[in-house]
Amino acid sequence: MTGSAESRHRAPGRLTALLTGAVAESMRAVGGHVGGAYLRSSTPGLLRLAVLAGLPGPLFRPWWRMHMDRPFPVADAHRLGVEIQLADSTETMRRYPQLAAGLPFRFGSVYVPVVGASTPYGVLAVLRPATPDATAVKLDRDRLTEVAQGLGAALSELEEDGPQIVWDGEPLSVRPPADDAPPGGVGRFSWDLSTGTVTADDTLSALLGTRGFTGTPEALAASVAPHDAHQLLAALHETAETGQAPPRPLRVRAADGGMRLLEFSGPGGAAPDDSRLSGIVVDMGGGTAGDGAAELLPEGVFTLDRLGLISYVNPRAALLLGRPRAELLGQPLWQAVPWLDRPAYEDHLRGALLSRDPVHFRVRRPRPDNGQPEARPGYDKWLSLSAYPGPDGLTFTAVPLGHDADTVGASTADPATETGPVDAAADQAAVGPLPPTALASLADSAGTAPPPEAVANATAPLYPPLFLAIALSEAVTARQVSAVVMRELLPAFGGRRLAIYLLHERRLYLAWETGFPQGFLDPFDGVGLDVRLPGVETLTSGRPLFFESMQQLAAAYPGIALDAEQGARAFLPLIASGRPVGSCILGFDIPRTFSAQERTVLTALAGLIAQALERAQRYDTEAALARGLQAALLPHRLPAHPQVETAGRYLPGTQGMDVGGDWYDVIEAGEGLALVIGDVQGHGVQAAATMGQLRSAVRAFALGGHSPQEVMSGTNRLLIDLDPGQFASCCYIRLDPVTGLAQAARAGHPQPLLRHPDGATEVLDLSGGVVLGVDPTAVYPVTQLRLEPGAVLALYTDGLVENPGTDIDTGIERLRAALAHAAAPTRRGGASLTGTADLLIERARQTTDRPDDIALLLTTRRATPSAP
């Protein structure tokens, strides 16, 4: 193998060795229990998770990809090149509510960019226990910074010898650093590829039953896994050749039948000339402390390591999970027990692993394939699972829901065959005893299931933050945001009352209330930030306040006015991007507790609500400005002409930014009249301002005596110069009031309607060009038409004829029919032109859900008075 070829083969191994080593050092530096390394990918603007330690990869799948422009700390650390530390869940909620909503658990985190020379490669991220005092980990952060700088320098050196450093695959899941390794025993070995010699440390030598081990790969394989030696040898040689270790630990069986896991690190570590392959051997046993005790427990017990692999199962757990122990041990939980692979269950496991708080939840077992469930002793379709976190992973207890573990006999039937008893002693010898730390985790719970009320409270599925985020994304006013919270959030937590206060000039004003007695909240409206009230202090301190009963609230705030109900209250600060927005009060009819996870979820959801309210306040400000612009720019009175009558109408939309760029105008130009209608793309201040500029431009061209084609072409070029990328449709008609002859030019606008004096109504077919603002060389042909006395010409914008889910032609036909049935406007009886205009928009006016604004301009010629 040539040097360059060897470098190419070893580069992947060197990269993974660098990343896994840096992640391990990062976790040690700040006492983290989960660590990861994000790297840039070949997709511009996208980071990918390359290495994940301390958490099963499938549980973190939503965060495998991170767009650099997303409001997440990983993206900010990479894009801005700054370190980010989040002390606890409260600070996470304040600064990154999307992250807090997705991982609503109690933990702190640190993010450090990895930069080599001037090249940003990615980010090191570590999740650690919550730390109220951010200065307590400053020195550890310095260590973490050194690790990131060292990694950046090593990646720069590696990139000089090979291709660009990017990561496009799935993340590698690795074990936490050695001091967090499984207690059953972890031995290490090293294979020097230049000499072919394998050496083992004392722990591995003891596992192999020797004083020391030095030999060949073949000898190592035969000693570690005589039954699976060929499998182990193949994996060793493939890793040595390619530099790529197997994506998952290798599961082999020792001479005594026990399970062992092997992990490799390919050649090419931090030193460029490193030609060693290293690995660890994990004994899935760990002593005799739990031997017999866990086997005799009447409840199911199994353990899961931090890679998501099942490391211990007692006979009762094997029965409840529906698989023999031999098929469970060493397997990923979600493959061994597929019916546990559900998002709701994963969220509970994430919470236990990240916050290290026990969790209790219910799972539903599928019907057995080999008989009716009632035929199996102790069978229940629902299980109560409790997960107790420890440094090595999770210890689970499993009890059929509705049964007390003390009274449920442990069945000895093998769940796979149900043909005879399981030899518990032989099975235990094969898999090893329960790890001591797992047994310690059960010290307070062995032999009993969680109380039914605890299961009922803790296992009720928490409100998915994604639902609220989606609903809030469509709310654009403070009233709509409050309505979403009342509709989506209150029922999920059993709440009946809601009050939202918004901050204005250092005072809190009531913006929304529901469920409280009439007038009860009036005294609290407009209170200053110096008043000692829970709704004020939750905002000024930035921390939520929870009271399980009104007695607790009264004790904390003596003299505070209370309503008749004695239920619980939650006061949540509404803070968006570090800026105070207001406070939110949730009321419950009865006393209740708030679990740690519920408190974290509610705090995170408050961040989403705050962001939506801040956006709504900006909307209200912009909408008021847009409405003012629109009112100022639309004509207040149309010009009066002895031979021509006109009537205009405008209706704003009711969805989103309800003021758009629709306009109409009638311009007296010499002996004629110019009839104009237009529609600027978009809504809000920008659309209204652009509309004003176009209206002024059209008026200037019309008053200058320009032809319709020149008016449209000139306005088109002006729009391109003023605001590239902004579009507008327009219809311009120059009318001679005496003869009724007209010249029309159209730029992507809906065709006008013409109602003849006899009532026949048609959709005109005017030639036209593309919308304004697209092509500076666009040509706008002119069409000749005639407006007879008594005829009505209708110009309109698409908001009048467009309806979601309906073709625009259907809307135009409906408008044509309405115009046809309107009485002809005359001086002597019949509907006036203004009455016809009101009739045509009546249906739209009564619609409360208008997605677009509407403009309408009607024109008719009066008959020439006869000579006396």
Side-chain angles (χ1 to χ4, degrees), residues 36-53:
Y38 281 88
L39 283 185
R40 63 186 182 179
S41 69
S42 58
T43 302
L46 181 69
L47 297 175
R48 285 185 179 271
L49 184 62
V51 172
L52 178 64

Side-chain angles (χ1 to χ4, degrees), residues 1-20 39 151 154-155 157-167 172 239-245 265-275:
M1 177 184 295
T2 64
S4 60
E6 181 181 0
S7 176
R8 286 194 300 270
H9 279 298
R10 289 169 51 188
R14 290 175 60 190
L15 176 60
T16 55
L18 287 171
L19 295 175
T20 53
L39 283 185
L151 177 59
L155 293 179
E157 183 179 349
L158 184 62
E159 197 169 45
E160 291 178 358
D161 298 334
Q164 183 184 33
I165 299 295
V166 295
W167 192 276
L172 299 176
T239 302
E241 285 292 327
T242 65
Q244 286 284 71
S265 296
D273 59 349
D274 191 356
S275 61

